[in-house]
Amino acid sequence: MAEPLLAVAGLRKRFGGLAVTDDVTFSVAEGGIHAVIGPNGAGKTTLIHQLSGTLRPDAGSIRFGGRELVGMGLARRARLGLARSFQITSVLAGFSALENAALAVQARSGPSFRFFRAAAAERALNDQAMTALEQVGLGARAGVLAGRLSHGEKRQLELAIALAMQPRLLLLDEPLAGAGPEETERLIGILLGLKGTYTILLVEHDMQAVFALADRISVLVYGRVIATDGPEAIRADPAVRAAYLGEDEAA
Amino acid sequence: MRAALILLAALAAAPFLGFGEGYSLTLLARVMILAMAAVSLWLLVGGGGMVSLGHAALLGIGAYAVVVLDDARITDAAVVVPVAMGAAGLFALVTGAVAIRTSGVQFIMITLAFGQMAFFTASSLAAYGGDDGYTLYGRTTVLGQRWLEDRLAFHYLCLGLLALTLFGGHVLLGSRFGRVLRAARENPLRAEAVGFRPYPYQLVAYSIAGAVAGLTGVLLANAAEFVAPSYLAWQRSGDLLFMVILGGLGSLQGAVLGAVAFVLLEEWLGHITEHWRLIFGPLLVLSVLFMKGGLVGMLRRG
Ligand SMILES: Nc1ncnc2c1ncn2[C@@H]1O[C@H](COP(=O)(O)OP(=O)(O)OP(=O)(O)O)[C@@H](O)[C@H]1O
Ligand SMILES: [Mg+2]
């Protein structure tokens, strides 16, 4: 059997007395969307932080494309092909949408210790950045300052930046967070369009979205993965229903 | 860039518009030299988000390079300029390597501390006059020629170097390197998430700004034909930082506008009353409070 693209084993992280990542083991195969769901405070964002390199796990290993990631910083992992989006939008407000994406293209297009030529005039960077914006339906807004985009458009830009990195794995932390019903609809459509081209690890709260998108789902509760399976099996799993879905319906 | 270009044109014409006598040229040289220093500081503050309170030390190191060489009777620009830029750039590289690991208030304090270190070192250089400073035997020569002793030639040299610094800074900020630097200032996490660790970019920017400050120090030493430790004092760094903020962090030309406004205001108030500092201080406070985005911001709003 081929090694999975991402293999997480025995990952642990404590904040004081609280085990936020508690012996987490799962793997993500190349292709498709693997979702991580779980109630508020289950430790989903903390998990993404450890995968992307903004937080160091207490124990465990994260293998990506055959390399150990633990101990490597965020920037290094990004250059290896691990792109993450943020639950709280994190774009460059003073840059245009195009320049936000072009920066990501630049990161994988040769050295950046170049001091003379105008970066904004580099066709190769702009063209690829434009492609990424068009993939998320932001092509028409390329020239607008990111800070002036609507909330939903910022979520789209967040995604476009990740795509512009041409990653091997996309880590998306609640890409639908804070989006209205129409925006959600649009973002789900965009994610469906990416399916097949990218391998995606999707953390998401919106159940409808998760069941519409994911090929596999891991359920995280109090830092533990209580089940990993296909959507139908997860929906039917009594432990999952008790811990999460039931609670969600009751709410 | 329009406002800065108009200012440069005005400075070019000034000697022929009744500002050609000694006193005016001295003042204008001071304006241009401080503007150049402010541009190099702007690259750090506005370009890289690195608020340094030790920038005068870098100028001072450039000026003391002139002193040390002058004492050894080495006065030609072919030696003086590379040594001054190299020494200030190296000082920036070494101190920056430590300072850039910090941020916010801590960065301000560390640059201040390094600046004071350089200040006390200069004060203790008994061979070069210690606290009293050092008077140069003569101005820097160019290819053995004493061109800089001509006041008009010196005026245009300062102007040319200021224009070059401004243009160079503009090109730098627009380059791939500058883009990473600006991204890291706006949102370091975002820069890292796409694959750029800000540190090496910030350190190189810090060193470049240091080298430019060193070159500015050469002009500073030549303008007065005298160098003293007070050139390195933190108050001077504070003045430079103030010029940058007064001019505005929205655009590089803010540094030039800020420096011009600062020096002319200081000069004008000095003429009106000997208690000008009592007015200057509150004016500075008011300008920060009421001019969002500095002079550049004001011009933009029209
Ligand atoms: N830096 C921290 N220090 C201490 N506790 C933290 C820290 N970060 C997160 N926590 C706690 O860890 C738990 C998991 O947080 P996390 O943000 O990973 O949850 P989440 O599953 O992403 O939740 P949400 O659905 O609200 O985004 C929470 O109880 C949170 O309060
Ligand atoms: Mg979260």
Side-chain angles (χ1 to χ4, degrees):
Chain A
M1 203 186 94
E3 194 178 354
L5 180 59
L6 180 76
V8 179
L11 206 66
R12 290 177 189 278
K13 181 77 194 174
R14 301 184 76 90
F15 287 125
L18 189 67
V20 182
T21 305
D22 193 0
D23 196 16
V24 165
T25 300
F26 70 97
S27 60
V28 177
E30 197 117 24
I33 297 184
H34 188 125
V36 174
I37 61 172
N40 279 107
K44 304 182 296 293
T45 296
T46 305
L47 179 63
I48 293 274
H49 276 310
Q50 293 170 84
L51 297 181
S52 65
T54 39
L55 200 62
R56 206 188 163 89
D58 298 334
S61 105
I62 303 166
R63 294 186 67 77
F64 175 66
R67 300 175 73 136
E68 178 59 50
L69 293 186
V70 172
M72 242 182 233
L74 174 64
R76 183 90 190 284
R77 294 185 202 196
R79 289 198 302 273
L80 286 177
L82 198 67
R84 77 168 281 187
S85 74
F86 293 89
Q87 180 171 358
I88 298 162
T89 304
S90 181
V91 296
L92 300 164
F95 282 34
S96 70
L98 185 74
E99 206 180 7
N100 266 278
L103 179 74
V105 178
Q106 185 183 317
R108 57 171 174 79
S109 311
S112 279
F113 280 98
R114 291 193 191 159
F115 302 93
F116 300 107
R117 189 166 162 210
E122 287 194 48
R123 276 283 301 276
L125 300 186
N126 290 342
D127 289 351
Q128 293 178 71
M130 198 61 193
T131 305
L133 291 181
E134 278 163 359
Q135 267 179 292
V136 303
L138 267 187
R141 306 284 280 160
V144 179
L145 284 186
R148 299 243 166 91
L149 296 174
S150 73
H151 177 82
E153 288 172 333
K154 281 183 190 152
R155 302 304 301 170
Q156 285 165 264
L157 178 58
E158 183 89 32
L159 202 55
I161 294 170
L163 295 179
M165 293 165 70
Q166 284 188 351
R168 295 180 66 193
L169 177 63
L170 264 170
L171 301 175
L172 304 180
D173 193 1
E174 302 207 21
L176 308 181
E182 269 173 49
E183 286 172 346
T184 300
E185 197 84 2
R186 189 167 66 227
L187 283 163
I188 291 178
I190 292 166
L191 290 175
L192 271 174
L194 299 179
K195 198 172 165 170
T197 320
Y198 295 90
T199 309
I200 299 175
L201 183 70
L202 172 72
V203 166
E204 190 43 70
H205 227 90
D206 188 320
M207 282 303 122
Q208 207 189 328
V210 168
F211 284 106
L213 288 166
D215 303 298
R216 282 178 80 70
I217 298 174
S218 293
V219 182
L220 198 66
V221 178
Y222 295 124
R224 302 187 71 92
V225 175
I226 61 165
T228 297
D229 218 326
E232 289 318 312
I234 288 292
R235 218 197 285 267
D237 188 320
V240 173
R241 294 188 76 89
Y244 186 36
L245 295 176
E247 173 210 88
D248 210 47
E249 272 154 29
Chain B
M1 286 309 258
R2 183 135 34 96
L5 289 179
I6 293 171
L7 267 177
L8 291 182
L11 284 164
F16 305 104
L17 299 176
F19 297 97
E21 85 284 12
Y23 176 80
S24 302
L25 287 180
T26 303
L27 178 66
L28 291 179
R30 190 169 127 73
V31 166
M32 291 185 285
I33 291 168
L34 287 177
M36 206 170 135
V39 169
S40 65
L41 180 58
W42 195 100
L43 290 175
L44 298 179
V45 181
M50 295 177 274
V51 181
S52 165
L53 198 46
H55 207 63
L58 297 168
L59 264 81
I61 288 168
Y64 268 93
V66 178
V67 166
V68 171
L69 292 171
D70 181 86
D71 192 56
R73 299 294 187 278
I74 299 169
T75 56
D76 203 79
V79 179
V80 172
V81 169
V83 168
M85 291 181 75
L90 189 67
F91 184 80
L93 179 70
V94 172
T95 58
V98 178
I100 294 167
R101 292 187 188 283
T102 69
S103 60
V105 175
Q106 223 192 340
F107 182 84
I108 299 177
M109 296 312 289
I110 287 196
T111 51
L112 173 65
F114 279 128
Q116 287 302 91
M117 207 177 81
F119 168 75
F120 289 124
T121 305
S123 304
S124 68
L125 293 175
Y128 306 111
D131 271 330
D132 296 332
Y134 178 100
T135 302
L136 300 181
Y137 286 101
R139 287 195 171 182
T140 301
T141 54
V142 180
L143 303 171
Q145 306 294 311
R146 307 170 70 125
W147 286 328
L148 300 197
E149 285 178 12
D150 180 71
R151 289 180 153 277
L152 219 49
F154 189 68
H155 178 85
Y156 286 107
L157 176 69
C158 290
L159 182 62
L161 288 177
L162 171 60
L164 193 66
T165 306
L166 194 60
F167 177 71
H170 185 71
V171 168
L172 185 81
L173 288 167
S175 70
R176 280 188 172 209
F177 174 83
R179 178 186 267 171
V180 176
L181 193 66
R182 288 181 287 120
R185 181 206 65 209
E186 260 207 46
N187 187 341
L189 186 62
R190 173 39 77 197
E192 287 211 40
V194 300
F196 293 113
R197 215 159 56 85
Y199 183 82
Y201 295 90
Q202 292 171 332
L203 185 55
V204 168
Y206 200 73
S207 307
I208 291 174
V212 174
L215 174 63
T216 314
V218 173
L219 293 179
L220 198 61
N222 274 284
E225 295 179 35
F226 172 76
V227 179
S230 66
Y231 287 24
L232 288 78
W234 70 270
Q235 289 92 334
R236 295 267 189 145
S237 297
D239 285 349
L240 289 175
L241 196 52
F242 189 81
M243 291 171 203
V244 165
I245 293 166
L246 176 68
L249 295 177
S251 145
L252 181 61
Q253 62 171 337
V256 179
L257 303 190
V260 171
F262 186 96
V263 176
L264 293 186
L265 191 65
E266 192 184 58
E267 182 68 19
W268 179 60
L269 287 175
H271 273 296
I272 297 178
T273 161
E274 58 181 301
H275 304 296
W276 62 276
R277 280 176 192 281
L278 285 178
I279 306 172
F280 196 49
L283 265 182
L284 298 188
V285 173
L286 288 176
S287 68
V288 170
L289 282 178
F290 293 109
M291 295 197 324
K292 280 233 179 77
L295 293 168
V296 168
M298 233 170 61
L299 287 178
R300 282 211 182 127
R301 283 190 295 274

